[in-house]
């Protein structure tokens, strides 16, 4: 039996959703999705309110997902304009820089004005509804401004994380055929500079990137950058004299809002496409209820806008709710390990949302850096990105929240748009390490390898049996890949790619990815991408990459590399290969371990048996299972003997 933390009755009394509300609303939401989601859609301002609510088929032959399909709205108007009357002078964004002496705030009125100015700028530069705009910025308010300006005019943004390399950036530009890029001279994290503009310059020398007409550059550090006329333009010059009014484009609920590239089991990252109406209903509702949002809350989610968490829970959900949002451009350990808590105290943060990898890294430094701060303002804590181990959960609960703040372990994915399995603070008793129960409208199921639905307490693969408004609609430019990836494995269901256990109370415990995706510090890395970066080296014949245990990152990257005949493995070559992956994808994809493999375990048909490699990387050579079907069982002995984690 695992430990249970019951809801604090004093908290429940004032909460938006209590235990009986949860049960009643959940039942309504799954019995009558149309009725439930129609009433939830009323939280937004519509130009034309929807009358058609749900139109979904998971049948691979006729796959379509549509919500609110006759509704018309504008996402930016919902995040800004509708707040002006009551919340015009309320702080929308508190910006906290990497340097602790740098912070500034924008009210809803100021943010609205700046978004309108940038929307007008984009229009002047020829960007129109449906055009794609790549955003490659640090965590500065201009990132939110650029996203909302796109939403205002109906351009589709594609934010690329600032830690990605020029090659990764180039492949996203090429896939989206972006017309314009918004970037900064340099980023600045942990006191180090990141050459964003130089990376953009380099990416634009790659093939298939000539769709880009303009590069808009925000001056962040003032560092020297190369300017190519007339392509490159300064943000501040373009914004001068622009009107602070710009009409919001009426958008159909199913018009695309953004694409965001994410790694899967195979091939290149895919452009996950989210649309307007359902996405905003879902992100704003989940944000409001999971964080029990109050008018005077100060909400801080530490995720970068380059990831889905930054889209749904730094920008769209909270701003649609009129919340005050902290945007942090720094790291947890700079200038020192108290930084998160110093920022909490400085801005009186009440709702704090971060990732298990950050919690584990801070936990390793002991309690002292936490205890020397107050944190009295904190009300609710959240976590996302990977399973949180109970030790880290307990430390977060006991030391950071002083047993006063419930912990919202939110399970969701880039594809899901918002939380699918999550506690609600006034309704759900907590169990450390469990994401607990489904959100409204979500029907999780656990299936075995054959697709048979499991009942009661069980373990297996996690699928979702019905649609919800925040679900992704397609893979940009490749609908077939969308169908094949998510709807073929278990017909009639959305396949999450995660494994899970359900306990005797119906609580879900996510056990991690069951496909070839590695979750490194909460960031998804496809093994196929790392392998293709490794084999790009002329001395490499073959590579196989699997996940391994890592104390801080949750999972690390373990690569097995076979060199061409006549080549010799050396430490120098190892470094070169790892540097190659950093360059090709970005530092987050750099292998933690690289083992030379004279041969890889393959079936007789030539398929690499990753199951065996995973066990070797997990230091579990006694659990290799049956190796007799291998083409050459002998290769395993060498790999086991030479394994790097013992
Ligand atoms: C994992 C991030 C356990 C999971 C929002 C999922 C989690 C993948 C949790 C999606 C959690 C995310 N507990 N595992 N609370 N949250 N995951 O697309 O494996 O970057 O499939 O979205 O992260 O990662 P993504």
């Amino acid at each position: 039996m695992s430990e249970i933390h019951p809801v604090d009755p004093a908290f429940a009394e004032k909460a938006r959703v209590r235990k009986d509300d949860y049960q009643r609303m959940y039942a309504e939401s799954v019995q009558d999705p149309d009725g439930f989601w129609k009433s939830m859609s009323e939280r937004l301002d519509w130009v034309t309110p929807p009358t058609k609510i749900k139109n979904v088929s998971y049948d691979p032959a006729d796959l379509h997902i549509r919500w609110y399909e006759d509704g018309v709205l504008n996402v930016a108007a919902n995040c800004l304009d509708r707040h002006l009357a009551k919340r015009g002078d309320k702080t929308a964004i508190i910006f906290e820089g990497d340097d602790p002496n740098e912070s500034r705030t924008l009210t809803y009125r100021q943010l609205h004005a700046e978004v309108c100015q940038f929307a007008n700028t984009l229009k002047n530069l020829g960007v129109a509804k449906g055009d794609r705009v790549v955003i490659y910025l640090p965590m500065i308010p201009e990132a939110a401004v650029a996203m909302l300006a796109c939403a205002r005019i109906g351009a589709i943004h594609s934010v690329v994380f600032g830690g990605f390399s020029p090659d990764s950036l180039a492949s996203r530009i090429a896939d989206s055929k972006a017309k314009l890029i918004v970037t900064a001279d340099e980023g600045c994290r942990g006191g180090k500079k990141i050459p964003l503009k130089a990376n953009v310059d380099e990416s634009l020398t790659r093939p298939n990137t000539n769709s880009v007409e303009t590069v808009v550059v925000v001056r962040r550090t003032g560092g020297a950058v190369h300017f190519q006329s007339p392509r490159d333009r300064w943000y501040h010059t373009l914004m001068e004299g622009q009107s602070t009014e710009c009409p919001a484009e009426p958008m159909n609920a199913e018009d695309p809002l953004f694409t965001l590239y994410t790694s899967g089991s195979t091939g290149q990252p895919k452009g996950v496409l989210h649309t307007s109406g359902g996405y905003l209903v879902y992100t704003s509702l989940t944000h409001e209820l999971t964080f029990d949002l109050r008018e005077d809350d100060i909400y801080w989610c530490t995720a970068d806008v380059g990831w889905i968490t930054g889209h749904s829970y730094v920008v769209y959900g909270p701003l649609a709710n009129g919340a005050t949002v902290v945007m942090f451009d720094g790291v947890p350990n700079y200038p020192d390990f108290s930084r998160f808590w110093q920022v909490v105290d400085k801005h009186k943060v009440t709702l704090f949302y971060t990732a298990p990898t950050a919690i584990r890294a801070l936990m390793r430094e002991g309690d002292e850096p936490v205890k020397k701060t107050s944190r009295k303002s904190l009300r609710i804590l959240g976590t996302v990105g990977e399973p949180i181990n109970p030790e880290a959960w307990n430390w977060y609960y006991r030391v950071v929240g002083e047993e006063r703040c419930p912990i919202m372990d939110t399970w969701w994915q880039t594809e899901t748009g918002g939380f699918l399995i999550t506690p609600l603070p006034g309704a759900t008793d907590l169990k450390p390490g469990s994401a607990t129960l489904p959100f409204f409208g979500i029907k999780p199921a656990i299936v075995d390898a054959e697709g048979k639905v499991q009942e009661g307490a069980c373990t297996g693969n996690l699928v979702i049996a019905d649609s919800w408004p925040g679900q992704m609609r397609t893979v940009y430019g490749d609908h077939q890949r969308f169908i094949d990836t998510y709807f073929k494995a278990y017909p009639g269901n959305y396949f999450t790619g995660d494994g899970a256990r359900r306990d005797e109370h119906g609580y879900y415990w996510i056990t991690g990815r069951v496909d070839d995706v590695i979750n490194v510090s909460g960031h998804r890395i496809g093994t196929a991408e790392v392998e293709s970066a490794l084999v790009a080296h002329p001395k490499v014949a073959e590579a196989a990459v699997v996940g391994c245990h890592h104390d801080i990152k949750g999972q690390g990257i373990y690569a097995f590399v076979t060199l061409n005949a006549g080549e010799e493995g050396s430490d120098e070559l190892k470094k070169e290969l790892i540097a190659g992956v950093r360059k090709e994808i970005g530092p987050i994809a750099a292998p933690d371990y690289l083992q030379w493999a004279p041969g890889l375990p393959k079936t007789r048909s030539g398929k690499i048996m990753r199951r065996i490699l995973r066990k070797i990387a997990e230091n579990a050579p006694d659990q290799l299972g049956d190796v007799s079907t291998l083409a050459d069982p002998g290769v395993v002995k060498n790999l086991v003997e030479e394994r790097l984690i013992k």
Side-chain angles (χ1 to χ4, degrees), residues 384-387 409-414 498 510 513 519 524:
V384 59
E386 51 174 313
D409 179 354
T410 61
W411 174 83
W412 60 297
Q413 310 178 296
T414 305
D498 277 328
I510 308 297
R513 303 289 306 195
N519 192 331
R524 278 162 69 165

Side-chain angles (χ1 to χ4, degrees), residues 21-247:
D21 300 323
Y22 172 76
Q23 275 150 6
R24 178 180 44 81
M25 288 170 73
Y26 182 76
E28 275 168 30
S29 72
V30 294
Q31 281 154 17
D32 176 20
D34 277 76
F36 182 84
W37 289 112
K38 181 175 191 336
S39 104
M40 292 304 142
S41 72
E42 289 159 12
R43 60 188 293 104
L44 298 186
D45 275 8
W46 297 82
V47 179
T48 312
T51 62
K52 295 185 185 154
I53 305 304
K54 179 184 178 205
N55 176 359
V56 174
S57 161
Y58 275 3
D59 175 0
D62 174 35
L63 192 117
H64 62 268
I65 299 166
R66 292 182 206 121
W67 286 89
Y68 309 122
E69 60 185 306
D70 62 348
V72 177
L73 82 171
N74 182 279
V75 166
N78 272 281
C79 292
L80 302 168
D81 307 41
R82 67 173 177 147
H83 302 315
L84 294 183
K86 272 206 199 135
R87 300 185 176 115
D89 296 321
K90 178 173 177 176
T91 301
I93 295 179
I94 301 175
F95 170 65
E96 170 77 19
D98 187 50
D99 174 343
N101 298 314
E102 188 190 14
S103 60
R104 66 189 161 104
T105 61
L106 280 108
T107 64
Y108 270 93
R109 203 179 317 285
Q110 289 167 327
L111 183 61
H112 173 266
E114 193 160 336
V115 167
C116 286
Q117 287 182 301
F118 196 56
N120 286 323
T121 302
L122 291 174
K123 286 209 262 187
N124 291 345
L125 293 168
V127 178
K129 182 173 173 178
D131 285 343
R132 274 80 57 212
V133 170
V134 162
I135 299 174
Y136 185 63
L137 282 172
M139 275 297 281
I140 54 179
E142 288 80 357
V145 169
M147 292 163 78
L148 291 163
C150 287
R152 193 162 193 92
I153 65 171
I156 305 169
H157 62 69
S158 187
V159 183
V160 178
F161 174 55
F164 276 128
S165 68
D167 285 310
S168 295
L169 176 60
S171 72
R172 286 153 174 82
I173 295 168
D175 191 74
S176 63
K177 300 189 185 59
K179 201 167 191 177
L180 185 140
I181 302 180
V182 191
T183 189
D185 48 5
E186 296 173 310
C188 182
R189 276 169 78 84
K192 288 195 220 78
K193 303 271 165 67
I194 300 143
L196 296 174
K197 172 62 166 63
N199 286 351
V200 169
D201 292 344
E202 199 179 331
S203 74
L204 293 178
T205 64
R206 303 289 190 270
N208 305 319
T209 55
N210 55 10
S211 57
V212 175
E213 294 167 9
T214 313
V215 178
V216 177
V217 187
V218 177
R219 183 174 276 157
R220 168 78 181 108
T221 64
V225 288
H226 169 77
F227 248 59
Q228 180 181 315
S229 175
R231 187 194 70 188
D232 300 345
R233 314 285 297 270
W234 284 114
Y235 177 88
H236 58 270
T237 321
L238 289 166
M239 293 281 276
E240 265 167 37
Q242 293 288 355
S243 165
T244 54
E245 292 295 333
C246 170

Side-chain angles (χ1 to χ4, degrees), residues 348-429:
K348 302 280 176 292
V349 170
T350 57
L351 311 171
F352 178 75
Y353 186 34
T354 194
T357 185
I359 297 165
R360 285 192 300 265
L362 294 173
M363 183 168 91
R364 197 172 62 168
E365 300 302 316
D367 300 359
E368 183 52 28
V370 189
K371 290 212 161 129
K372 64 184 192 208
T373 62
S374 156
R375 289 158 288 107
K376 280 286 173 288
S377 54
L378 289 174
R379 222 159 63 72
I380 297 175
L381 301 172
T383 145
V384 59
E386 51 174 313
I388 182 165
N389 45 315
E391 301 74 44
W393 194 103
N394 277 307
W395 185 82
Y396 198 26
Y397 183 72
R398 196 172 43 75
V399 181
V400 175
E402 294 174 340
E403 302 186 19
R404 189 181 70 241
C405 309
I407 295 183
M408 301 301 106
D409 179 354
T410 61
W411 174 83
W412 60 297
Q413 310 178 296
T414 305
E415 293 88 338
T416 71
F419 309 152
L420 295 201
I421 299 181
T422 180
L424 300 180
T428 319
D429 299 338

Side-chain angles (χ1 to χ4, degrees), residues 547-562:
C548 61
H549 174 80
H550 191 289
D551 279 342
I552 302 291
K553 300 183 192 175
Q555 271 194 302
I557 300 179
Y558 195 119
F560 296 87
V561 173
T562 308

